[in-house]
Amino acid sequence: MSNDRILALSGGVGGAKLVLGLSHALPAERLLVVTNTGDDFDHFGLRICPDTDTVIYTLSDLADRERGWGRAGESWGFMEAMRQIGGEDWFNLGDRDLALHVLRTDRLNKGSSLSAVTAEISDALGIKIPILPMCDQPVATMVDTPEGRLAFQHYFVRERCAPTVTGFEFEGIEKAQPNPAVVAALKENPAVIIIAPSNPFVSVAPILAVPELSNMLRKSGAPIVAVSPIVGGEALKGPAAKMMKELGMPASALEIARHYRGFIDGLVIDEMDAELAPAIADLGMEVEVAPTIMNDLNDRIELANRTVGFAARLSGGIER
Ligand code: FO1
């Protein structure tokens, strides 16, 4: 018998938007968020965890709504001073954001796990929803380009996603162990697993690549539904559509369905892509057509409700 918990897999700004909607649609004890750690990297000796931090700031309402990452009301004295003394300035660290990186790095250096320090910071910010990094071991998403291999943040921020991608590598993934809290939650048979509208290649793939995690997700018996990050042939935020084209795929919700085929039971697509529904259904998955563009909080809550409702309807028909 499944309990009624919802497990959401999230990376990037798009993922955090749906997580915010879910946090308003569900009581805190029903939601667990698993974050991608492949974007994490060391900068000035600080451990930076962007996808986890975006969820932390979003759920504590500290996030900058414009940027989607970092904190609102930020000041940039540190960056100005860094530039003045000739330090690297391609990655912007706000003065308040820095506190999180300094505290986390200090705790990690003293032996805390990423999960433990994430829980400590979440608690301090009054977040009741468990924010669970996919694993506590370091994993580094690398982006292969014709000019060579780039660390993810170099590709994404320093090079502004300009290089052509030819492939991805998740360095360290073979030594990664699924976050024990995620393993425990999966053993308690969650009701629903949601893949947020995150970049499938660099935000979702690292999570699904953690050894055994994909098997555990499927064995949990919970329906797995994804929300397409591609609407009308474009990614709403970030380089997903550009990556798909560079990898020789059409940038479409149908291609997203093909990408997740065999793993997900249902895909939520935008009304703009409604005509793709039959072709997606032909791939052997259920399809929900809904407004998936999240401009405000209400959109986020609406999409969260539609996605949970869709997945709950699938629970009856899951045979694995
Ligand atoms: N993204 C940018 O495009 N430019 C930045 O300067 C930048 C700084 C930054 C600092 C902290 C943080 O948690 C995230 C930051 N991001 C920045 C976003 C980050 O690169 C992306 O959110 C993820 O890595 C991909 O989703």
Side-chain angles (χ1 to χ4, degrees):
M1 180 55 194
S2 86
N3 61 31
D4 58 358
R5 294 186 95 171
I6 314 278
L7 208 69
L9 309 184
S10 175
V13 170
K17 287 184 177 180
L18 183 64
V19 166
L20 181 63
L22 288 165
S23 75
H24 284 263
L26 300 162
E29 59 277 4
R30 284 196 61 198
L31 181 57
L32 287 154
V33 183
V34 182
T35 57
N36 166 45
T37 65
D39 293 6
D40 298 3
F41 74 125
D42 294 317
H43 194 51
F44 296 126
L46 297 171
R47 189 69 182 160
I48 314 287
C49 306
D51 284 356
T52 300
D53 292 356
T54 298
V55 173
I56 289 174
Y57 286 144
T58 298
L59 291 183
S60 55
D61 200 16
L62 288 172
D64 181 276
R65 306 257 170 98
E66 287 306 303
R67 291 194 305 267
W69 53 265
R71 292 180 61 142
E74 199 43 287
S75 59
W76 304 94
F78 169 82
M79 290 306 299
E80 279 156 36
M82 184 57 79
R83 254 188 289 281
Q84 198 177 25
I85 57 176
E88 284 183 87
D89 66 350
W90 57 273
F91 194 78
N92 293 295
L93 290 166
D95 297 334
R96 288 168 187 76
D97 186 32
L98 266 175
L100 198 165
H101 307 304
V102 169
L103 175 74
R104 173 167 46 221
T105 304
D106 183 49
R107 290 282 189 278
L108 292 173
N109 290 341
K110 288 172 179 161
S112 278
S113 66
L114 180 59
S115 313
V117 71
T118 302
E120 183 189 331
I121 293 164
S122 303
D123 290 349
L125 292 174
I127 298 170
K128 302 274 177 287
I129 295 161
I131 300 173
L132 310 173
M134 69 191 203
C135 65
D136 284 327
Q137 297 72 29
V139 172
T141 296
M142 307 300 283
V143 180
D144 286 325
T145 79
E147 295 75 45
R149 179 163 284 191
L150 281 176
F152 180 77
Q153 295 300 340
H154 287 167
Y155 164 80
F156 189 85
V157 180
R158 199 188 63 192
E159 309 306 328
R160 302 186 194 292
C161 306
T164 297
V165 307
T166 56
F168 307 96
E169 184 74 29
F170 308 133
E171 288 184 356
I173 196 74
E174 62 288 337
K175 290 203 271 319
Q177 283 137 37
N179 183 325
V182 176
V183 174
L186 289 170
K187 284 207 176 92
E188 291 160 11
N189 305 107
V192 161
I193 294 164
I194 292 173
I195 299 178
S198 307
N199 185 309
F201 308 107
V202 291
S203 295
V204 179
I207 300 175
L208 300 184
V210 174
E212 285 313 303
L213 186 49
S214 285
N215 290 341
M216 292 179 193
L217 289 164
R218 285 197 58 76
K219 282 205 197 91
S220 72
I224 302 174
V225 302
V227 178
S228 175
I230 300 290
V231 173
E234 288 304 317
L236 296 176
K237 182 117 183 149
K242 176 177 182 282
M243 289 176 168
M244 292 175 85
K245 291 169 192 156
E246 290 166 355
L247 294 169
M249 310 168 182
S252 71
L254 175 55
E255 199 58 36
I256 292 294
R258 287 201 189 100
H259 178 79
Y260 285 125
R261 184 181 197 182
F263 184 71
I264 65 173
D265 302 291
L267 181 67
V268 181
I269 63 174
D270 191 77
E271 292 160 331
M272 209 186 289
D273 296 314
E275 81 280 354
L276 297 175
I280 294 171
D282 287 350
L283 295 173
M285 64 182 73
E286 300 298 321
V287 194
E288 176 85 353
V289 178
T292 64
I293 297 176
M294 297 178 275
N295 291 316
D296 59 24
L297 178 57
N298 206 40
D299 296 344
R300 290 161 171 70
I301 297 172
E302 263 310 294
L303 180 55
N305 282 317
R306 287 290 295 270
T307 303
V308 171
F310 171 49
R313 287 199 303 280
L314 299 186
S315 318
I318 295 291
E319 52 292 323
R320 283 201 191 117

